[in-house]
Amino acid sequence: MEHSLTPQPDTDLKDFEHIVAAHEAAVRAFVAVRIDDPFEAHDLAQEVFMLLWRKRGEIDLDKPLRPWLLGVAANLVRQHRRKGRATPVGNDAVLELLEDRLDDGDALEGPVLTALEHCLAKLDDAARQLIRWRYTHGLGIREICGRTGSAHSSVTMKLHRLRSLLFDCIQVRVQEASQ
């Protein structure tokens, strides 16, 4: 059954507002812990409620709604990851290494960490600074955009490419070290 996007009676809107108020925090939190970029997470959470609005005539509101909302959110997160927009390339371990261990004074140990140190040293100064801002200092994308004067999509793409480059470099270095 298709619904048009024409305005519905006030009761539909009031019911929808109550549902959003009751479940919005849970949906946002669910998505936020699964998506690295807060702007993308916000957009996905909004998509959950837009889908709810479009399917409002098909949903049984006598059944618990939160499981349905979180199921939709999980599917949207999976679709988002398949598109590769905000997911670290290849291996979450690279992202964890960057977040946990990058500090100018830290000495990295172990084959993967040694490879990371080597690969970071191969980056140009601007790329290392971008990595430092994001993973050492914990700056958000918006703050980095302000510092660089770059667009949001440009910064996220640079970070995506740098993670991919680091992942590939680490794989090669670890493989070379094991031979």
Side-chain angles (χ1 to χ4, degrees):
M1 179 163 142
E2 285 190 18
H3 293 281
S4 67
L5 296 177
T6 57
Q8 298 296 313
D10 285 342
T11 55
D12 273 0
L13 188 55
K14 295 278 188 222
D15 290 344
F16 183 74
E17 288 173 352
H18 290 309
I19 291 169
V20 171
H23 299 285
E24 183 177 24
V27 170
R28 284 185 188 277
F30 179 89
V31 175
V33 298
R34 289 163 175 80
I35 299 292
D36 183 41
D37 185 322
F39 297 106
E40 295 288 341
H42 173 79
D43 288 348
L44 288 177
Q46 290 294 339
E47 282 185 49
V48 170
F49 290 104
M50 288 177 10
L51 184 62
L52 172 64
W53 178 255
R54 286 192 302 269
K55 295 195 173 264
R56 68 191 178 279
E58 303 169 31
I59 297 171
D60 182 1
L61 294 177
D62 293 331
K63 293 183 180 178
L65 189 57
R66 187 165 292 180
W68 184 87
L69 293 169
L70 296 180
V72 169
N75 288 334
L76 289 173
V77 167
R78 273 193 293 279
Q79 289 171 2
H80 178 81
R81 285 185 174 157
R82 268 181 271 184
K83 292 177 186 176
R85 292 191 305 204
T87 304
V89 174
N91 191 336
D92 287 339
V94 173
L95 182 61
E96 289 175 24
L97 289 172
L98 290 169
E99 289 174 339
D100 295 341
R101 296 300 302 262
L102 272 183
D103 188 355
D104 293 336
D106 279 352
L108 302 176
E109 299 175 14
V112 174
L113 295 173
T114 302
L116 174 62
E117 188 174 62
H118 169 82
C119 296
L120 285 168
K122 290 174 61 174
L123 297 176
D124 64 37
D125 290 339
R128 271 196 308 279
Q129 182 63 48
L130 186 61
I131 294 289
R132 246 186 248 110
W133 281 339
R134 181 71 172 139
Y135 300 107
T136 302
H137 303 296
L139 297 182
I141 302 298
R142 183 179 286 177
E143 286 180 281
I144 294 170
C145 291
R147 289 183 179 204
T148 63
S150 299
H152 182 273
S153 60
S154 175
V155 171
T156 57
M157 184 53 70
K158 285 177 188 173
L159 287 168
H160 173 80
R161 288 180 180 153
L162 285 170
R163 286 190 304 261
S164 178
L165 184 69
L166 288 171
F167 177 75
D168 293 343
C169 180
I170 289 168
Q171 281 189 312
V172 168
R173 290 292 294 185
V174 169
Q175 188 176 15
E176 288 172 355
S178 67
Q179 293 178 353

